[in-house]
Amino acid sequence: MQDVYLSFLILCIAASGFGFGHGQKVLNVVDFGAIGDGQTDDTNAFLSAWKALCGDDGANQGSPSLQIPEGKTFLLQPVKFQGPCKSVSVQVQVQGKIIAPSTIEEWKNCEADCWIGFVGVANLNIYGSGLLDGQGSDWWMRTVQANNLNAREIACNPPSTALNFERCDDLQLSGLTHVDSPKGHIGINDCNGVLISNLNIAAPENSPNTDGIDVARSTNVHIQDSTIGTGDDCVAINGGCSYINITNIACGPGHGISVGSLGKDGQYDTVEEVHVRNCSFTGTQNAARIKTWPGGSGYVRKISYEKITLVASKNPIIIDQHYCDGVRNCRNSSTALQVSDVTYSSFHGTSVDEEAIRLDCSGRGCINIVMDNINITSADPGKTTYAYCEHTSGTSWFTAPNVPCLSVSGF
């Protein structure tokens, strides 16, 4: 009799929607009307599920969870999921596939700054083995056409980011695959305490402006154990960032792991304590890059790239203080960001260009640039690599090619 009662109790708990043994309410987007056939617009169903998860239904339930089930494809128009939520933390498990509209004409909001956004949600954990597909090929084609015609805008502007987080402290994002964003894939803005891990981000090498992960005005961000190959920066660290750790990233194709660009249109920008470690760059346009615009102000300091593997990277090490997009008037300016305390250590591998290191600093100069145990050879066995530097001071140990601006010890 006791066994029968226990079985009945378990069935009742399961039917109530609570995760047994965890005091956790579990919601499924299908129960809120999501169809998941890849053609029906499921945006409103997702918003209804989010309202239940984030509102009173999720309050006092520990860490309520929203499930996006496998075996289904959910079509979403641009949408934002707003916080704060009533519960202390929120979980979103993505096992299925989420897709954007396949053509520009099908987008219902041409002014959206992102495709999927989370705003003001603390302790958010998004995880799973699912896929987010931005279906960006139509956007890329129109962007290239507009650029060829020197047009400043196209009729409908692409969202700057596919998956965007704004003011989401103590955020976790893991396990997902992100492909073919119209522009950038993931944006982290005004967040403190972020862990991004085990992601796969992919877009064609010729897809314009498809950054993997963009971080701005954020602190204590950890990006690790992921594969990123896109048409732009694998990771870009923008102004207002500090204490950023990037570890074990396989980058390529793409434009490398970049600090910047910074100081655009005379802007004051600061970035410090960015540490890149145990990363590989395969067939990338750049690897370790710092880029600032002429005329900006502020600083870039306490940056390190350590234990880096290069496989036919075009610009393995580059500081570019004369960065320009070719549209603006980028004449030399008397002002520039101060770049200082940058360390490159344990770089090994090959460069496509003979110029393997370029430290192109402004008249203000780059200060305390350190090279330690650098060995970059040419991808063409018949050629020799060299370094270029301007207005740079610092030291190097066991560095090949030799960097003429730095005090040399070793080779």
Side-chain angles (χ1 to χ4, degrees), residues 128-152:
S129 59
L131 181 142
L132 275 67
D133 186 350
Q135 302 207 98
S137 59
D138 198 23
W139 294 100
W140 307 334
M141 181 181 67
R142 304 286 183 92
T143 299
V144 170
Q145 289 173 347
N147 289 341
N148 289 340
L149 295 172
N150 293 319
R152 298 304 297 247

Side-chain angles (χ1 to χ4, degrees), residues 1-300:
M1 187 69 181
Q2 196 172 30
D3 291 341
V4 173
Y5 175 75
L6 180 59
S7 298
F8 175 74
L9 181 62
I10 292 172
L11 287 172
C12 289
I13 291 173
S16 71
F18 287 88
F20 180 69
H22 300 284
Q24 174 182 320
K25 190 171 184 65
V26 179
L27 307 174
N28 191 314
V29 292
V30 174
D31 296 332
F32 291 83
I35 303 302
D37 61 2
Q39 298 179 348
T40 304
D41 182 358
D42 288 321
T43 308
N44 287 333
F46 271 60
L47 284 170
S48 296
W50 177 259
K51 183 178 179 181
L53 181 78
C54 190
D56 291 333
D57 288 355
N60 303 315
Q61 303 301 333
S63 180
S65 176
L66 179 64
Q67 290 186 340
I68 300 167
E70 64 182 337
K72 290 183 175 293
T73 299
F74 301 95
L75 171 64
L76 295 186
Q77 290 286 340
V79 60
K80 284 191 177 181
F81 301 104
Q82 298 280 346
C85 294
K86 295 292 183 69
S87 59
V88 174
S89 61
V90 173
Q91 298 188 52
V92 178
Q93 184 182 27
V94 183
Q95 296 298 109
K97 183 177 180 180
I98 302 174
I99 63 172
S102 60
T103 67
I104 294 175
E105 287 74 19
E106 293 172 359
W107 282 70
K108 293 181 180 179
N109 183 357
C110 285
E111 303 302 321
D113 59 353
C114 65
W115 170 36
I116 300 172
F118 291 86
V119 182
V121 185
N123 295 296
L124 172 63
N125 181 10
I126 300 178
Y127 65 99
S129 59
L131 181 142
L132 275 67
D133 186 350
Q135 302 207 98
S137 59
D138 198 23
W139 294 100
W140 307 334
M141 181 181 67
R142 304 286 183 92
T143 299
V144 170
Q145 289 173 347
N147 289 341
N148 289 340
L149 295 172
N150 293 319
R152 298 304 297 247
E153 295 182 352
I154 55 179
C156 188
N157 292 314
S160 59
T161 311
L163 179 61
N164 193 63
F165 300 93
E166 182 179 348
R167 303 194 313 276
C168 293
D169 292 347
D170 300 310
L171 166 69
Q172 295 182 61
L173 176 65
S174 63
L176 304 179
T177 296
H178 303 250
V179 300
D180 295 345
S181 172
K183 288 184 74 175
H185 285 78
I186 298 171
I188 306 296
N189 302 281
D190 300 293
C191 298
N192 178 37
V194 177
L195 175 59
I196 297 175
S197 62
N198 297 295
L199 300 185
N200 183 19
I201 303 173
E205 185 174 6
N206 62 351
S207 57
N209 305 312
T210 52
D211 289 7
I213 302 173
D214 283 298
V215 186
R217 303 178 304 280
S218 296
T219 59
N220 299 306
V221 177
H222 298 264
I223 301 170
Q224 62 192 44
D225 305 326
S226 297
T227 300
I228 305 174
T230 70
D232 211 306
D233 293 322
C234 290
V235 182
I237 307 302
N238 298 291
C241 288
S242 60
Y243 298 96
I244 312 295
N245 290 282
I246 302 169
T247 307
N248 195 28
I249 302 298
C251 172
H255 294 187
I257 297 178
S258 299
V259 175
S261 64
L262 305 171
K264 184 178 180 180
D265 296 326
Q267 186 171 330
Y268 176 84
D269 276 326
T270 66
V271 172
E272 63 182 334
E273 297 287 1
V274 176
H275 305 290
V276 180
R277 180 183 173 90
N278 286 332
C279 294
S280 65
F281 298 88
T282 302
T284 54
Q285 188 176 110
N286 312 283
R289 177 165 68 157
I290 297 173
K291 49 181 177 175
T292 71
W293 291 73
S297 62
Y299 57 81
V300 178

